[in-house]
Structures are given as C-alpha cells and as structure tokens.
Amino acid sequence: MTAESEGTRLRQERIRKLETMKEQGINPFPYSFARTHKAEDLQTKYKDLPNDTETEDEVRVCGRVLNERNTWMFVDLYDDSGKIQLFCHKQNIAEEPLKQLRLLDKGDFLGATGTIRRTKQGELSVKVTSYQILGKSLLPLPDSWDGFTDVEARYRHRYVDMIMNPAVRETFKKRSIAIRTIRDFLDSRGCLEIETPVLQVEAGGADARPFITHHNTLDLDLYLRIATELHLKRLIVGGFERVYEIGRIFRNEGISTRHNPEFTMLEMYWAYGDYNELMDLAEEMIVETAAKVAGSAKVTYQGVEIDFQRPFKRIRMVDAIKAVTGVDCEALKTFDEIKKAAQELGVDLKGCDSRGHVINAIFEDKAESTLIQPTFIIDYPVEISPLTKPHRTNEGEVERFELFAYGRELANGYSELTDPLDQRRRLEDQAAKKAAGNEEAMPLDLDFINAMEYGMPPTMGIGIGIDRLVMLITDSASIRDVIAFPTMKPIIK
RNA sequence: GCGCCCGUAGCUCAGCUGGUAGAGCACUCGGCUUUUAACCGAUUGGUCGUGCGUUCGAGUCGCACCGGGCGCACCA
C-alpha cells in the first residue's frame, strides 16, 4: 500500500516544509507557468551541442521532480515528453532561493528558468537562474531504484503507477493511437459514429448477464447495455448506411486477465455488404492498427510472434474441428450423434441443448486455443447465432465469422439477419430459454423487430473487443494493463 | 463461484523447528562537493492485512474473514 494515512511521518515532514514556504511568502500551489520548451524539444534542438559547452539561449521548463543529486545541485525534471536535467548552482542562483531548494521534495512540480548547457558527463541541462514551485507533493513516491511493482498497489493507485512506470503511460498512448486509427479508418470510408443508449429496458444483442440499475423518477429498473448491436441496426433501418460506435459495454461476469466488468467495444454496421466483404475490411483495419501502434504487422505477444499479414486464414468451423479432433461434424446429423462424439472427446456439454451448441462446445474446447496466428473461423451453427443471416448454401449454418489470434477471440462478424419474421422466431426462441432460466439468453426486443419490419437492406456487421486488440498489439498480459482504472474491490476498514 | 499462492517500514525485501522486529533505499540532521552522490556519519520510522484461538509466549501454528495474483468456471 502507498502512503495514505494522515499521520505518516513522511507526510508530516512535507507539510512542515509547505508551511515554511508559506511563511516565506512562497505560494506552493500557483496558477500557471509560461513554458517555452518541453524536455524532448530541448533534447532534439541541442542534440549536437558538445559536452562541457553552454549557450546563451534562455528557456523555461516545467515538470515533476523525480530525482535529485548533490543536495539539489542536479535535478531530474520530467514532463510528458521526457527528462531534462536542472543544474542548480550557487553561482547562478541568489542566496535566498538557493536555501529554499531544501524545502523541495521529490515529487514536487517545478518550473525553472535558465540557459542551456551540456555537462562534462554529457547530460543536457538547464543552468537554472530562478525557479518556482508549481505544486507541492505531500506523499512520498516509491523508491526509484526498487521501483513500484506490487500489482495490487499499482492498480489501486494507478496515478503512482503512471509516474513510476513509463511503460504504463506508453501503453495508454498506444491505446489512444489504436482507437484514433480505427476511427480514422472508418470515418474515411464514410462511416458515421453515432452514440446509442447505455441505459436500456432490456439488455440484448449478446449472451451475457447485465448490470441492473434504477431510475428514480420513472421508478424503473434499467439495464446497462451488453452490446450496441440492436440500436446500431435500428440506425441502418433509419437510413444510415454505414454506422459504428466505440463505446463502453458492461457485462456482469467474472473478472480475469481477459475480462473487466466494463470494457470497450467497436461495433460497425455497413449496408449492402456480406461477411466475405467484411472479413476483407476487418483484416485491413486490424493490420493498419497494428502497424500504427506496433510499427509492423508482426507483433510479439508474450514471447510469441503474431503475424498480422494479409490475408488471414479462413477455415470453416467444422473443418477446424476436423483438423484437430478428426471428428466430421457434418456426418453427424442429429443431436444425439454429435453429443456422443463430443462426450468421447471429453468435451463438457453443460448448457448445450442443441446440435449447434455441441459443435460450438467442441470447437471452443479443442480448436480455439490452437489458433495462434490470425485466423477467421467461418460458418457457425445457427442455434448460437440468433441475429445472423442463414448461410446461402449450407443448411443449419449462418454466415458468421470470428477472428482468433493467440487462441483468443478478437472479433465477431456476420451477414446480418434482415428477415423480420425469421428474426422474430429466433428471438422468441431465445426468450423462451430465458424464461426457462437461462440468464444469458436474449430477451425479446419487440421494438427492434418492429424496426426490422419496416425493411432493412442486406448488411454486414462486426464487433471488436478494443481492450483485447490493444492487449495483443501492446504485449499486455492482463486486460487491466490496458484499462486506466480497472475494476477493484474496495478495501473496507 | 472453485483451487493454489501471496499480504512484514514510504518502496523493495529478509525474518529458521514459536522466544519481545531486521536490511537496503527513501526521510530528518550533520559532513563533503562549482559537474553527478545510487557518497560518508548519525538518527528516525512497524496495531507484521483483520479477528478469534492454541501457548508461559504468535510475524511464525490453527480457524474464520478482508484484499490481491495465477489457473479453472462464466464470458468478450
């Protein structure tokens, strides 16, 4: 745990310094500072300045003090671009402010004015003539030598993690670049980003347990959305031909290295296209994102090279199963036959109440983890895909794909079901399962069906878990490493 | 929800078959130094996650609880 209690000695010591500053007429929390350069600007501009030379160029820099040597003669000042050393020598600083350097602590924000010089040791420095505290720090930072490694403390006090571990800030920069790349990619192809409701009367569009909340004046229980699909498809009905939303999704499920209760999903719907065209588009978007963030379509994830080189493999689900297990699902026409085969393979069939569910269970148990290089698994059983258009040639299948890499699902897309009567039957079937106690079955969203009955063009649609994509391209082992403030249980004292 | 592991100073960690709590760094004071100090000296600093129990005596043993990590389950 980091220091939080009011009584710690180290904190009291800093408050004493803060009081002393005030007594000496220094405001420890001033209003602004006119900076001329960031650290990186200076490092670039003076990269050819030889050792032990100085210039007359006056600069003003500011940032957080993370280290100090020789009793504040050398100060490492960090801003969001990097480090610049301050050289605080009695030759250049008046007596009073020189003494007041002792009132500073590591962690304080400082602004400094001075000229540029490079030391004999080759460290570019600002030879400080005057300085100003810009924000007093009361709590001691973790030791810079040992670092800040306690996993729980890092997540609970993410701001300290970000100060101490530059790689953490780097990951969130990359996350931002990834999301901007995706937005640019879609915007440049005529897609419109439209926000849909988070609070919903029924949470549909995915198989997941929702969070529930309550609206006081309506005296109405509402669910937090588990998907954006049903509303984005209403927008297609409404005449938008290409729409997407990058938004927060909430699912009331377990927490793990791959699951956070709130996470970010991209969903995109595009009229007049089918799942074949969609796979091409998804490939292009993911390759572009990986390249922008990781610098290459080849990324190393947890020591394994993942090559996002187009085209990705495309394998029918039944073929993927056959390749790994030898079982030919297509030859097993009935629920009983496929169930027997699955049981012989040792597959857990909990919750499997149809032939399609069993095929999916075999796939997930036996084949999924073998899909290390980017692979589209295509042509899913209809029973597990209630919003997907039937396959144009294969009986019992739908035109759906999921993209896997490193044995994990990255994306889920399909030719959207546009037949309102078929849709109604499928959602009624889901609602019956929900009524029978299946908490993950979809509710019957009558307004969604109503929208479809006004007519819907052929449409392709995809969902991509942004957090998991960012995990892969930033080599992050846990989803918590790519979420700035992951969900934590509070500590009750 | 289940299993295994973890929780000691601000940080990183020792602490044996139970015997009154340790180190390094940080902090404070002093020294030294006009170009690197992660230096030298001294001093500080802990309800050992919480509670109950066993015991003459618990950081250590037992039980329960809290929090976390990893795996499984659920799921994306």
Side-chain angles (χ1 to χ4, degrees):
Chain A
M1 292 281 84
T2 54
E4 333 180 86
S5 67
E6 297 187 4
T8 64
R9 188 177 47 88
L10 297 171
R11 181 170 176 274
Q12 287 305 322
E13 185 60 42
R14 289 176 177 224
I15 290 175
R16 181 189 65 75
K17 289 177 179 173
L18 181 133
E19 295 301 336
T20 305
M21 281 182 185
K22 285 183 178 168
E23 284 162 18
Q24 297 182 0
I26 301 166
N27 180 0
F29 303 105
Y31 295 89
S32 64
F33 183 81
R35 157 162 67 188
T36 61
H37 299 77
K38 285 194 178 184
E40 190 181 29
D41 298 336
L42 295 176
Q43 300 290 0
T44 304
K45 186 171 175 187
Y46 294 100
K47 114 176 105 55
D48 296 325
L49 188 69
N51 291 1
D52 200 22
T53 51
E54 52 184 284
T55 71
E56 298 295 308
D57 307 349
E58 190 177 272
V59 298
R60 291 166 61 80
V61 293
C62 52
R64 190 194 284 273
V65 175
L66 286 188
N67 207 358
E68 152 271 328
R69 290 174 294 280
N70 271 28
T71 323
W72 292 89
M73 192 186 293
F74 302 100
V75 176
D76 291 339
L77 193 73
Y78 286 80
D79 61 26
D80 68 6
S81 74
K83 181 183 98 169
I84 183 74
Q85 176 171 274
L86 304 182
F87 175 60
C88 302
H89 196 268
K90 60 186 175 190
Q91 275 183 344
N92 315 308
I93 301 176
E95 192 181 337
E96 197 63 12
L98 192 76
K99 254 192 283 181
Q100 287 164 339
L101 280 169
R102 298 301 295 270
L103 298 174
L104 298 175
D105 286 291
K106 290 171 201 172
D108 288 353
F109 280 91
L110 213 60
T113 306
T115 51
I116 291 293
R117 66 163 306 177
R118 192 180 288 281
T119 67
K120 273 181 193 164
Q121 271 61 31
E123 191 69 42
L124 188 71
S125 308
V126 175
K127 190 169 87 177
V128 175
T129 50
S130 69
Y131 70 91
Q132 187 184 1
I133 184 160
L134 299 177
K136 188 85 189 112
S137 159
L138 297 184
L139 293 174
L141 289 168
D143 186 77
S144 60
W145 186 242
D146 292 318
F148 185 49
T149 58
D150 182 274
V151 176
E152 179 176 358
R154 286 181 50 212
Y155 291 140
R156 284 195 191 279
H157 303 283
R158 202 51 178 276
Y159 34 87
V160 180
D161 194 21
M162 291 166 174
I163 295 167
M164 299 307 298
N165 298 316
V168 174
R169 286 199 307 274
E170 204 50 43
T171 295
F172 289 106
K173 271 191 215 168
K174 287 178 176 173
R175 182 184 171 117
S176 176
I177 291 167
I179 291 174
R180 191 170 65 242
T181 302
I182 291 169
R183 281 212 166 92
D184 289 348
F185 181 92
L186 293 173
D187 291 346
S188 69
R189 284 163 178 76
C191 297
L192 226 53
E193 183 170 22
I194 299 185
E195 289 164 288
T196 63
V198 170
L199 298 176
Q200 307 184 345
V201 174
E202 293 277 20
D207 300 329
R209 288 153 70 186
F211 285 93
I212 191 162
T213 187
H214 186 78
H215 189 281
N216 286 341
T217 56
L218 293 180
D219 189 22
L220 177 68
D221 283 342
L222 291 165
Y223 297 99
L224 272 55
R225 67 182 177 193
I226 58 172
T228 47
E229 175 159 0
L230 301 187
H231 283 94
L232 289 171
K233 288 199 306 210
R234 283 174 171 90
L235 293 170
I236 296 289
V237 169
F240 295 100
E241 294 186 358
R242 296 176 184 182
V243 292
Y244 72 98
E245 180 171 9
I246 295 175
R248 203 70 58 88
I249 299 296
F250 307 85
R251 294 190 183 173
N252 208 336
E253 310 281 357
I255 294 175
S256 78
T257 47
R258 290 174 296 281
H259 302 84
N260 197 64
E262 52 179 305
F263 62 101
T264 301
M265 186 139 83
L266 160 71
E267 286 197 45
M268 188 277 302
Y269 295 84
W270 178 308
Y272 307 111
D274 66 12
Y275 80 141
N276 292 309
E277 188 180 342
L278 184 55
M279 281 187 273
D280 295 338
L281 190 74
E283 271 183 10
E284 201 180 336
M285 182 168 73
I286 286 169
V287 168
E288 189 168 318
T289 304
K292 271 262 171 58
V293 171
S296 152
K298 278 185 188 165
V299 305
T300 299
Y301 186 72
Q302 308 294 294
V304 178
E305 188 176 272
I306 311 287
D307 189 355
F308 286 103
Q309 207 53 247
R310 299 184 67 189
F312 303 164
K313 277 180 286 186
R314 298 181 186 188
I315 306 173
R316 294 183 64 225
M317 181 182 267
V318 290
D319 291 338
I321 291 172
K322 201 192 294 178
V324 175
T325 68
V327 172
D328 182 5
C329 294
E330 287 180 298
L332 305 168
K333 300 284 187 202
T334 69
F335 181 41
D336 287 336
E337 281 173 330
I338 194 83
K339 202 158 94 175
K340 186 157 165 285
Q343 281 163 342
E344 280 166 9
L345 291 169
V347 175
D348 182 8
L349 297 180
K350 187 155 42 92
C352 290
D353 52 8
S354 72
R355 181 173 176 275
H357 280 87
V358 174
I359 292 172
N360 185 55
I362 299 171
F363 170 75
E364 287 184 352
D365 191 13
K366 299 296 175 192
E368 193 173 304
S369 63
T370 68
L371 304 172
I372 303 304
Q373 296 306 319
T375 305
F376 286 113
I377 295 299
I378 64 173
D379 299 346
Y380 277 60
V382 63
E383 298 95 326
I384 61 164
S385 315
L387 302 168
T388 310
K389 188 169 271 188
H391 198 282
R392 60 197 75 182
T393 52
N394 302 345
E395 183 73 21
E397 290 181 0
V398 292
E399 296 199 347
R400 174 180 177 185
F401 66 80
E402 290 190 345
L403 173 62
F404 293 88
Y406 197 73
R408 297 178 183 171
E409 184 193 333
L410 265 191
N412 176 21
Y414 34 86
S415 301
E416 301 295 333
L417 180 58
T418 51
D419 174 347
L421 299 177
D422 191 5
Q423 184 67 83
R424 181 185 294 271
R425 278 192 296 276
R426 297 215 219 159
L427 286 181
E428 278 171 354
D429 185 49
Q430 287 286 312
K433 283 181 180 154
K434 197 176 179 64
N438 184 342
E439 284 188 84
E440 279 104 41
M442 284 187 208
L444 180 60
D445 186 334
L446 288 171
D447 183 71
F448 170 63
I449 292 170
N450 194 58
M452 282 182 70
E453 292 201 353
Y454 280 96
M456 185 172 169
T459 301
M460 61 188 191
I462 188 169
I464 298 181
I466 295 295
D467 312 87
R468 289 185 174 179
L469 177 62
V470 173
M471 280 172 74
L472 260 182
I473 59 184
T474 60
D475 196 15
S476 297
S478 170
I479 196 168
R480 292 183 152 188
D481 295 326
V482 301
I483 293 175
F485 302 100
T487 305
M488 299 289 284
K489 251 187 160 174
I491 297 173
I492 298 155
K493 292 212 166 162

